[in-house]
Amino acid sequence: MRPGNALVLFSGGQDSTTCLAWALERFAQVETIGFDYGQRHAIELEARQTVLAGLRARFPHWSPRLGEDHLVDLAVLGQISDTALTRDTAIAMTEAGLPNTFVPGRNLLFFQLAAAVGYRRGLHTLVGGMCETDFSGYPDCRDDTLKALQVAVSLGMGQRFTFETPLMWLDKAETWALADTLGGPPLVDLLITQSHTCYHGVRETLHAWGYGCGECPACVLRRSGHTQWQAQRAQATPT
Ligand code: ZN
């Protein structure tokens, strides 16, 4: 474990929960930050709290390292974007090949705000669940974007920040496997039963891979990754 500390961008979804576990395994002190930007489903904000409570309850060795949670009101994003995440419209692909859930450049803003909070809290490692491998081509999730932003933020604040993105080159099956390595069945179970990624906010039926509609882009990735991970595990286990 490193003696330092970290601030994790935490949405209550599978990826950021896995990143939070990753940080708790590595850093002596970990705080979380989330953004309320008029999500259609308050369910995401609820998931943040239940996941945090679940981590504290199930992982006594992580619990003392898990510090304050910061929730930043970003309602302004709802005013300047017209997307399926913030308005009651159907999720579709735009002409640019991106889902219309895309709030342009939002991760740039998230990291910048996280850095401002981190600056005040003395947390100079920022951890995010962005992934270039198999998500929808969001340009603000790309490695080059975040490396450039790390430099800009460090220069602009006169303080060296490190951006860590442990999922950047993993596919969804590998993300499930990472969670299993970090926290074993209790973490995998917490992800399945408490984390939330479905764009439609569906939580009626518990599937093997978690709650969700099973059809939106986030559910499709989560489900297929889980299926693939299970198949790989079955193959790796000698009979
Ligand atoms: Zn869904």
Side-chain angles (χ1 to χ4, degrees):
M1 194 183 61
R2 300 180 207 173
N5 48 32
L7 179 61
V8 179
L9 282 73
F10 176 61
S11 70
Q14 178 184 352
D15 288 350
S16 65
T17 300
T18 305
C19 283
L20 178 52
W22 179 90
L24 287 166
E25 195 63 18
R26 275 164 185 76
F27 296 97
Q29 181 68 18
V30 177
E31 298 189 8
T32 46
I33 184 167
F35 303 97
D36 181 359
Y37 52 100
Q39 284 101 327
R40 275 201 305 190
H41 310 290
I43 209 161
E44 289 182 19
L45 296 177
E46 272 177 48
R48 294 182 80 254
Q49 296 310 315
T50 48
V51 168
L52 287 175
L55 286 170
R56 287 185 204 282
R58 296 185 191 198
F59 300 92
H61 61 298
W62 288 346
S63 187
R65 300 177 203 163
L66 183 53
E68 233 177 279
D69 177 44
H70 311 272
L71 186 65
V72 176
D73 183 351
L74 269 188
V76 65
L77 272 194
Q79 291 169 26
I80 58 172
S81 61
D82 189 354
T83 74
L85 276 183
T86 49
R87 302 280 162 85
D88 198 17
T89 53
I91 292 166
M93 298 304 276
T94 65
E95 284 174 19
L98 295 168
N100 66 351
T101 50
F102 181 58
V103 179
R106 66 179 176 183
N107 285 304
L108 305 180
L109 196 54
F110 291 173
F111 265 105
Q112 220 170 326
L113 290 165
V117 171
Y119 187 96
R120 295 192 164 186
R121 302 285 303 161
L123 306 163
H124 303 136
T125 299
L126 308 181
V127 183
M130 295 77 200
C131 171
E132 193 166 319
T133 310
D134 69 354
F135 210 21
S136 317
Y138 295 127
D140 59 338
C141 288
R142 290 180 189 146
D143 196 45
D144 282 354
T145 304
L146 295 177
K147 286 200 163 84
L149 187 63
Q150 174 184 289
V151 173
V153 163
S154 296
L155 288 172
M157 297 215 180
Q159 164 66 53
R160 167 86 181 160
F161 281 90
T162 305
F163 293 6
E164 294 270 12
T165 52
L167 311 185
M168 184 56 76
W169 307 111
L170 304 185
D171 63 26
K172 266 286 186 290
E174 290 168 325
T175 301
W176 281 106
L178 174 62
D180 193 28
T181 304
L182 289 166
L187 184 59
V188 171
D189 180 69
L190 185 73
L191 286 168
I192 290 171
T193 60
Q194 306 299 340
S195 77
H196 183 84
T197 42
C198 175
Y199 289 156
H200 293 301
V202 172
R203 284 192 81 77
E204 273 85 51
T205 310
L206 180 59
H207 309 277
W209 45 271
Y211 288 100
C213 71
E215 282 161 23
C216 73
C219 281
V220 167
L221 273 176
R222 180 165 165 151
R223 185 188 61 202
S224 63
H226 186 265
T227 306
Q228 202 188 335
W229 171 57
Q230 294 286 58
Q232 287 164 358
R233 280 215 311 179
Q235 252 180 357
T237 310
T239 47

